[in-house]
Amino acid sequence: MSPSNKKRNLVHQGIVLYSNFVLILFFSNHLVSQELPQIIANKIIAAQNYLPDFSYAGYHNGEIKISQKTTQIVKATDYGVVANDDLDDSKNLIKAIKAASALNGDVILQLPSGRIILSDVLYLERSNFVLRGAGSGKEGTEIFCPRPMMYFKDPESLKELREYLITFDKRQREKQNNIDLPFSQYAWSGGFIWTQVPNERVKSYLEKYDPKLNVLAKVLTGNRGENTFTISKMNGLKVGDVVELQLFNKEGENGELIQSIYNNAKVKPGSHHWKFPMLPIVRQQVEIIKIAKNKVTIKTPLLLEINPNYQAQLVEWKHLSEVGIEHLRFTFPDTPRVAHHVEQGYNAIFLTRVFNGWVNDVVIHNAESGILTEEIANVTIENILTNGTNIAHYTVAMGGVHNVLVKNLKVYNNVIHPLSFNTFSTKDVYQNCEIFTNPNLDQHGGANHQNLFDNIVVHFTPKEDNSYPLFLAGGAEYWKPSHGAFTTFWNIDVDVVGKFNASKPIVLNGMKDGPFARIIGVHGNHNFKVEYDPDAYIEFLNQTIKKEPSLYDYQLKKRLK
């Protein structure tokens, strides 16, 4: 072969190799786009459709496992707690908690196996404290609560709530059922095990009780999704502090902060967004990791862009840390239901004012509400099972919390709001949960936004018209819309049971006022159509996200890489 022919042959081979490389690259990208939703696989689409980073939810932002410390164990039996004797253990349990709380350092209060009878509230009021049972199974620790909290002395910390319910005449009115009854203070608050900081209000209800806040800095500007922002008038703020970032709407019905929460959507905000200008309607509990002149860096990203109109500030936030409740089960008796919001007080756990804490391995039978939450952050609640014959209000409810992860929750009982993001909840995640009875993925209004339903399984029988209100939302009109921008549903597995029209798709609906939701990977054993208004981003409909079934896990791996 002549030199010139050899040269032409080499050029031809190069062209073929290059062409094959281009084809391989093309098909590789094509396959990736089929395996992963475009909202994370395509940079252009991702830039056009904001997807929050949910990976900071959970104990220590998901970066370390729940503490398994076993040093300094106090046995409840040493303080008179005797299981299986059919006698009330409340006074001795309170005595054991008091004794354990008086010790220095980490402490575990170990409960015995068998049935313990409880007819009073167990308050956990110190950090580095674990209440541990002998397991949630039949051979473990059972806490049996024969009487509801309505028969207890009124908790001092709910005094403001009680006054609020009377002042605003909060009543459950159902003419068709001849019901006109006052709301119970235990409809969304209180629990037989109750974490609290003594003398700190659970939640703001009445402006006249608002305390004078210890303002540590004024916040001027910051960008959504970033960790650094500018401040002025710093007053005692230190690296390592865990504080609350507060944003206010003081501009009325059309305030810029309202527009930011709902991403300028065509929705009508309820009056509570502007009637209480001294109430922060966006709040984050954050850890300060760096201070450099007028710039502060926090561990977790900002929810929204901050500008001077929001009069944002960092304030002291009193809280407990490293508090755990684990390895036990609650049993409540069979009781007739009175009405919604008229619950008697069969609530298992009430978590307030906790940062970096957990609840793990808990079975809850016949509760009106399993686990209620308020003002907590960086908490993991996992391996929870709820069951029973009573109709419940909540299983594990997210109320006014930030970066909370509820993982591996199994719901077998009939619940009004089986999974629920409530007022002011932000960047919270339900992951790997399963609902077996009358499921709905509730968002309860109240400026809650940027929350995630992640890899959820639901089972239901459709209505006669081949529809099901999977996205049915609760909440009061004065806190509508049902949620703010960028709530996300990822890899929702729908198991349809019973009779339905198999020749038509099943319509999943229920949401009319939830702007800019991200609904990705709704699939199941039938074809589905999703109706979700307004401005929802819908992708991977009737497809399983096999490569990354959990968005939380995907984002956490990416962040920690």
Side-chain angles (χ1 to χ4, degrees):
M1 184 181 294
S2 68
S4 59
N5 287 337
K6 285 183 179 179
K7 186 176 182 180
R8 281 195 296 269
N9 190 44
L10 288 172
V11 171
H12 176 72
Q13 290 177 5
I15 292 172
V16 171
L17 288 172
Y18 177 76
S19 300
N20 288 340
F21 172 77
V22 171
L23 286 171
I24 290 169
L25 186 63
F26 172 80
F27 284 114
S28 175
N29 288 336
H30 182 69
L31 287 171
V32 168
S33 69
Q34 294 300 304
E35 292 179 354
L36 290 175
Q38 295 293 303
I39 199 167
I40 61 173
N42 186 307
K43 291 183 179 180
I44 296 175
I45 291 176
Q48 294 171 343
N49 297 275
Y50 181 71
L51 185 67
D53 182 355
F54 297 102
S55 70
Y56 291 89
Y59 178 70
H60 284 273
N61 302 123
E63 296 170 6
I64 64 175
K65 293 184 178 180
I66 290 174
S67 173
Q68 297 296 319
K69 293 176 182 177
T70 56
T71 56
Q72 198 163 221
I73 297 176
V74 174
K75 295 182 179 180
T77 52
D78 291 343
Y79 294 87
V81 175
V82 179
N84 300 324
D85 64 352
D86 293 327
L87 297 177
D88 194 287
D89 297 282
S90 303
K91 290 182 179 179
N92 290 331
L93 282 166
I94 292 170
K95 190 191 305 180
I97 287 175
K98 185 176 180 180
S101 297
L103 299 174
N104 294 322
D106 300 333
V107 63
I108 297 167
L109 178 60
Q110 179 66 56
L111 303 178
S113 59
R115 171 176 277 198
I116 298 169
I117 298 175
L118 179 62
S119 61
D120 207 340
V121 175
L122 303 182
Y123 291 102
L124 309 184
E125 300 180 323
R126 60 153 279 183
S127 297
N128 303 299
F129 188 100
V130 178
L131 182 66
R132 179 179 292 169
S136 63
K138 290 183 178 180
E139 303 302 318
T141 299
E142 177 191 7
I143 297 178
F144 175 63
C145 307
R147 295 185 294 281
M149 286 183 288
M150 66 179 290
Y151 295 118
F152 300 175
K153 181 181 177 181
D154 282 336
E156 182 63 26
S157 54
L158 295 186
K159 179 181 178 181
E160 183 180 349
L161 170 58
R162 293 192 294 273
E163 185 176 340
Y164 161 82
L165 295 176
I166 294 170
T167 301
F168 289 92
D169 191 29
K170 304 292 286 185
R171 304 180 69 84
Q172 185 69 15
R173 295 180 173 92
E174 301 175 17
K175 288 184 179 180
Q176 71 277 18
N177 295 319
N178 194 31
I179 289 173
D180 187 349
L181 296 170
F183 277 16
S184 163
Q185 64 183 321
Y186 299 116
W188 58 80
S189 298
F192 276 81
I193 296 178
W194 187 328
T195 69
Q196 67 174 8
V197 174
N199 303 315
E200 287 296 314
R201 73 200 306 203
V202 174
K203 183 179 179 179
S204 172
Y205 287 103
L206 297 170
E207 193 170 342
K208 69 179 183 179
Y209 290 116
D210 288 347
K212 185 177 181 181
L213 297 176
N214 181 13
V215 179
L216 303 174
K218 296 290 186 179
V219 181
L220 301 177
T221 59
N223 296 322
R224 181 182 68 188
E226 295 185 2
N227 298 59
T228 299
F229 48 84
T230 62
I231 64 166
S232 68
K233 299 181 180 179
M234 189 168 69
N235 178 29
L237 186 69
K238 306 183 301 299
V239 171
D241 284 350
V242 175
V243 299
E244 186 169 88
L245 170 62
Q246 301 179 336
L247 280 64
F248 298 85
N249 172 49
K250 299 184 179 182
E251 300 179 294
E253 185 173 356
N254 298 310
E256 191 173 349
L257 180 55
I258 296 176
Q259 300 304 316
S260 182
I261 292 170
Y262 299 102
N263 200 35
N264 298 303
K266 293 180 180 179
V267 291
K268 184 175 176 58
S271 60
H272 274 36
H273 287 82
W274 69 86
K275 277 194 172 181
F276 306 98
M278 300 307 294
L279 178 72
I281 61 173
V282 176
R283 54 192 75 176
Q284 293 180 245
Q285 291 78 32
V286 298
E287 181 180 353
I288 308 298
I289 61 173
K290 184 178 180 182
I291 301 174
K293 295 184 179 179
N294 70 330
K295 290 189 176 182
V296 168
T297 302
I298 56 177
K299 180 75 181 290
T300 51
L302 293 172
L303 286 164
L304 302 170
E305 182 176 344
I306 299 176
N307 67 46
N309 290 340
Y310 302 163
Q311 299 186 32
Q313 59 188 22
L314 296 173
V315 302
E316 182 183 17
W317 182 61
K318 294 180 181 179
H319 62 278
L320 309 175
S321 60
E322 303 299 332
V323 174
I325 301 166
E326 58 189 23
H327 309 316
L328 48 83
R329 72 182 187 275
F330 288 86
T331 303
F332 300 98
D334 292 342
T335 53
R337 181 172 184 259
V338 179
H340 193 40
H341 294 124
V342 192
E343 286 77 13
Q344 302 171 73
Y346 284 121
N347 302 336
I349 297 172
F350 188 33
L351 299 176
T352 74
R353 297 273 178 170
V354 174
F355 185 83
N356 286 335
W358 69 92
V359 179
N360 181 33
D361 182 28
V362 176
V363 172
I364 304 170
H365 177 76
N366 267 347
E368 290 173 322
S369 287
I371 301 174
L372 297 172
T373 61
E374 196 70 55
E375 285 257 350
I376 66 173
N378 289 20
V379 170
T380 293
I381 302 171
E382 64 179 342
N383 303 318
I384 311 298
L385 185 150
T386 67
N387 60 20
T389 57
N390 298 344
I391 297 176
H393 192 172
Y394 295 105
T395 57
V396 180
M398 306 268 206
V401 301
H402 181 60
N403 281 339
V404 172
L405 172 65
V406 176
K407 183 177 181 181
N408 300 334
L409 165 64
K410 303 288 186 183
V411 181
Y412 290 93
N413 50 330
N414 194 356
V415 188
I416 304 298
H417 310 300
L419 305 183
S420 181
F421 294 118
N422 220 302
T423 307
F424 300 141
S425 60
T426 52
K427 284 289 185 75
D428 303 306
V429 179
Y430 285 106
Q431 184 200 33
N432 301 344
C433 302
E434 187 166 10
I435 312 170
F436 292 89
T437 305
N438 296 331
N440 64 77
L441 306 180
D442 174 57
Q443 297 179 82
H444 227 66
N448 69 81
H449 59 287
Q450 300 186 44
N451 297 299
L452 170 64
F453 294 98
D454 186 32
N455 201 33
I456 307 298
V457 181
V458 296
H459 307 264
F460 64 75
T461 299
K463 293 161 55 176
E464 290 184 2
D465 64 356
N466 243 41
S467 72
Y468 187 83
L470 183 61
F471 309 109
L472 188 66
E477 288 299 319
Y478 50 69
W479 266 131
K480 291 293 186 177
S482 296
H483 66 76
F486 313 128
T487 285
T488 301
F489 302 81
W490 185 274
N491 210 37
I492 309 300
D493 186 357
V494 180
D495 176 36
V496 182
V497 297
K499 294 182 179 180
F500 61 95
N501 187 343
S503 65
K504 295 181 179 180
I506 293 172
V507 177
L508 305 176
N509 55 18
M511 181 62 69
K512 298 292 186 182
D513 63 344
F516 295 99
R518 279 71 179 96
I519 304 171
I520 304 152
V522 173
H523 66 279
N525 61 347
H526 192 63
N527 284 329
F528 301 98
K529 178 182 177 183
V530 171
E531 292 181 355
Y532 201 109
D533 295 315
D535 304 311
Y537 174 95
I538 301 175
E539 188 187 355
F540 253 56
L541 183 59
N542 296 310
Q543 296 182 68
T544 307
I545 311 175
K546 294 181 179 179
K547 188 171 183 180
E548 296 292 349
S550 165
L551 178 61
Y552 173 80
D553 286 347
Y554 168 79
Q555 291 180 326
L556 183 62
K557 286 184 293 185
K558 189 174 180 181
R559 175 166 65 87
L560 299 183
K561 184 180 291 184

